[in-house]
């Protein structure tokens, strides 16, 4: 992998990640951009104890542009974009309309490929591995910023999720605090250790799931399963079998196997809702629109964990949570009164049935 860092016309950082070492990235951003001005601030809710990012400048962000005006495609001729070069493998750059900025953290965009019409599931193993290396590198770099306590790599896919740019991409949020969801995990981790005399909760969960009926697929170094108390109709957690706190700690064997396992998982997600029309043969399969999903990496915070009763970073288990808001063909799962008002999820699909379905639709 070759890494080349440069600057856009308004001063934001842009980084190329290339598969070949002989690639030269010296194209200049020719757009007449002024310096980016943000109004992001973090406010703490005194009743719930969580935090809200207030970022009014995001009202003016790019919204569903036509494909020939996509800001994430390479620059071609007079069609100028966020990526000055005419081609790229993987690119990461500072978000022009960040939710977090300055002392409030940082937001970045990760372009998985220059192919506008592709998706992550369409990538080859080498390209997917390059994305993994980019996630890892950015986690390392962002963790050293004074304002950053936790790094979150994720992908929103599909207009149903709220995606406003159709180009295959993800994001990285570098928070100046430990997020509420991670804090809940750390408290559960501490409580379980106390109750069991030292057992690691993540290890116990993975062991239980691997022995049960909700395993979706399993490799030598990774395992994917539908969790016992899945919140979403189709939700899969992907764990390395050797517990590590973050992407930085993955060994070479796990990095090598990751593309194979993850790409297979994404391709199965795209087949969940396909249905038969007629005789039941492969030619009779009716494909649904691409499955909308969120793919979220959970990593240990880099800040102090003193408030979590002695829990250390190495006690946390890196894992990816992948889920869709589609509950059946043509129908979405909305977060209504119970979910949005009281944070109590109601799942219409039994996790055991979801796991069975994901095994049935093996892309091979």
């Amino acid at each position: 992998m070759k890494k080349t860092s440069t600057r856009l016309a308004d001063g934001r950082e842009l980084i190329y990640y290339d598969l070949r070492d002989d690639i030269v990235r010296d194209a200049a951003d020719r757009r007449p951009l002024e310096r980016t001005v943000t109004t992001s601030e973090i406010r703490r809710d005194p009743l719930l104890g969580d935090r809200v990012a207030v970022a009014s400048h995001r009202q003016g962000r790019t919204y569903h542009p036509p494909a020939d005006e996509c800001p994430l495609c390479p620059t071609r001729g007079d069609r100028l974009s966020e990526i000055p070069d005419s081609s790229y493998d993987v690119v990461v750059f500072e978000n022009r309309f960040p939710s977090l900025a300055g002392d409030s953290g940082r937001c970045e965009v990760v372009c998985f490929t220059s192919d506008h019409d592709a998706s992550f599931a369409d990538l080859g193993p080498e390209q997917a591995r390059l994305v993994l290396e980019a996630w890892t590198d950015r986690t390392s770099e962002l963790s050293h910023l004074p304002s950053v306590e936790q790094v979150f790599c994720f992908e929103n896919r599909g207009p149903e999720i709220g995606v406003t740019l159709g180009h295959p991409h993800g994001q990285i949020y570098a928070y100046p605090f430990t997020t509420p969801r991670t804090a809940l995990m750390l408290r559960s981790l501490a409580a379980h250790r106390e109750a069991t005399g030292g057992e690691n909760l993540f290890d116990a969960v993975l062991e239980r799931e691997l022995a049960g009926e909700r395993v979706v697929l399993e490799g030598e170094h990774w395992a994917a399963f539908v969790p016992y108390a899945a919140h979403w109709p189709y939700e899969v957690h992907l764990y390395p079998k050797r517990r590590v706190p973050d992407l930085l700690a993955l060994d070479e064997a796990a990095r090598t196997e990751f593309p194979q396992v993850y790409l297979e998982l994404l391709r199965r997600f795209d087949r969940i809702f396909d249905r038969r029309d007629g005789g039941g043969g492969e030619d009779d399969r009716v494909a649904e629109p691409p499955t909308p999903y969120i793919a979220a990496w959970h990593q240990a915070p880099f800040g102090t964990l003193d408030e979590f009763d002695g829990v250390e970073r190495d006690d946390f288990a890196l894992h990816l949570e992948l889920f869709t808001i589609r509950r059946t063909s043509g129908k979405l799962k909305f977060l209504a009164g119970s979910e949005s008002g009281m944070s109590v999820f109601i799942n219409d699909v039994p996790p055991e049935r979801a796991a069975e379905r994901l095994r049935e639709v093996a892309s091979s």
Side-chain angles (χ1 to χ4, degrees):
M1 178 191 79
K2 181 179 181 181
K3 175 183 174 182
T4 306
S5 180
T6 184
R7 294 282 171 178
L8 296 173
D10 56 6
R12 289 175 293 131
E13 186 178 18
L14 180 143
I15 306 157
Y16 295 96
Y17 294 90
D18 286 298
L19 292 167
R20 290 169 43 193
D21 291 335
D22 61 343
I23 296 294
V24 176
R25 300 296 186 185
D26 55 6
D29 184 1
R30 293 181 281 133
R31 296 172 298 170
L33 299 180
E34 297 181 357
R35 282 274 175 177
T36 300
V37 177
T38 63
T39 57
S40 177
E41 66 170 305
I42 303 295
R43 298 185 180 183
R44 183 179 181 276
D45 186 316
L47 295 180
L48 298 179
D50 60 7
R51 295 167 175 84
V52 176
V54 180
S56 59
H57 63 276
R58 285 173 54 79
Q59 286 281 40
R61 65 187 184 275
T62 307
Y63 188 80
H64 291 299
D68 61 357
E69 296 179 15
C70 174
L72 306 185
C73 287
T75 289
R76 300 280 171 79
D78 293 331
R79 194 185 80 175
L80 308 180
S81 75
E82 289 278 65
I83 296 91
D85 216 325
S86 59
S87 67
Y88 64 84
D89 289 339
V90 173
V91 164
V92 177
F93 61 88
E94 288 184 76
N95 198 323
R96 190 177 178 186
F97 304 97
S99 302
L100 309 167
D103 293 340
S104 298
R106 176 157 157 155
C107 292
E108 297 182 341
V109 176
V110 184
C111 296
F112 303 140
T113 171
S114 60
D115 185 350
H116 181 86
D117 297 318
S119 69
F120 202 118
D122 296 323
L123 303 183
E126 190 178 31
Q127 185 77 5
R129 169 68 185 261
L130 185 61
V131 175
L132 175 63
E133 296 306 324
W135 283 331
T136 304
D137 181 69
R138 296 316 301 154
T139 296
S140 175
E141 293 292 329
L142 293 170
S143 71
H144 290 95
L145 296 180
S147 63
V148 173
E149 189 166 311
Q150 185 172 1
V151 179
F152 175 46
C153 306
F154 65 100
E155 180 191 1
N156 297 328
R157 195 254 199 137
E160 300 94 333
I161 296 293
V163 174
T164 57
L165 297 176
H167 195 102
H169 73 287
Q171 300 181 65
I172 302 175
Y173 277 22
Y175 298 101
F177 52 82
T178 297
T179 62
R181 189 173 178 86
T182 303
L184 284 173
M185 293 183 193
L186 293 169
R187 293 189 184 100
S188 296
L189 190 62
H192 184 83
R193 186 182 63 180
E194 178 68 22
T196 60
E199 183 181 62
N200 184 281
L201 178 57
F202 287 109
D203 293 348
V205 167
L206 182 57
E207 181 180 1
R208 181 185 70 182
E209 293 292 358
L210 287 177
E213 60 181 316
R214 290 180 296 276
V215 175
V216 174
L217 59 89
E218 183 178 357
E220 183 179 354
H221 304 284
W222 294 86
F225 57 87
V226 177
Y228 170 73
H231 290 60
W232 298 92
Y234 290 90
E235 174 182 340
V236 175
H237 294 188
L238 177 62
Y239 277 69
K241 290 185 176 179
R242 182 179 70 87
R243 172 166 44 90
V244 295
D246 53 40
L247 291 166
L248 302 172
L250 288 173
D251 61 23
E252 181 59 26
R255 292 181 183 280
T256 299
E257 187 181 77
F258 170 77
Q260 172 189 343
V261 175
Y262 187 49
L263 291 172
E264 169 67 14
L265 193 57
L266 292 180
R267 289 162 186 163
R268 292 190 191 190
F269 255 61
D270 269 344
R271 296 167 64 96
I272 300 173
F273 305 105
D274 288 359
R275 62 190 188 278
R276 303 290 176 178
D277 182 21
E282 183 64 24
D283 292 341
D284 296 315
R285 188 171 60 85
V286 178
E288 284 285 307
T291 300
Y293 65 71
I294 293 175
W297 281 108
H298 292 265
Q299 306 190 79
F302 290 94
T304 178
L305 301 181
D306 292 346
E307 64 180 292
F308 301 108
D309 298 327
V311 170
E312 300 179 357
R313 287 195 82 249
D314 287 344
D315 296 326
F316 192 88
L318 167 77
H319 62 284
L320 181 139
E321 297 184 7
L322 173 69
F323 61 89
T324 178
I325 62 170
R326 187 179 290 164
R327 56 187 175 87
T328 190
S329 179
K331 298 179 181 178
L332 300 180
K333 164 66 178 177
F334 292 101
L335 299 189
S338 185
E339 292 90 353
S340 295
M342 284 293 160
S343 295
V344 178
F345 275 69
I346 300 169
N347 190 351
D348 301 319
V349 180
E352 293 73 22
R353 174 53 189 152
E356 180 182 20
R357 177 61 180 154
L358 285 161
R359 290 192 297 269
E360 290 174 351
V361 296
S363 63
S364 58

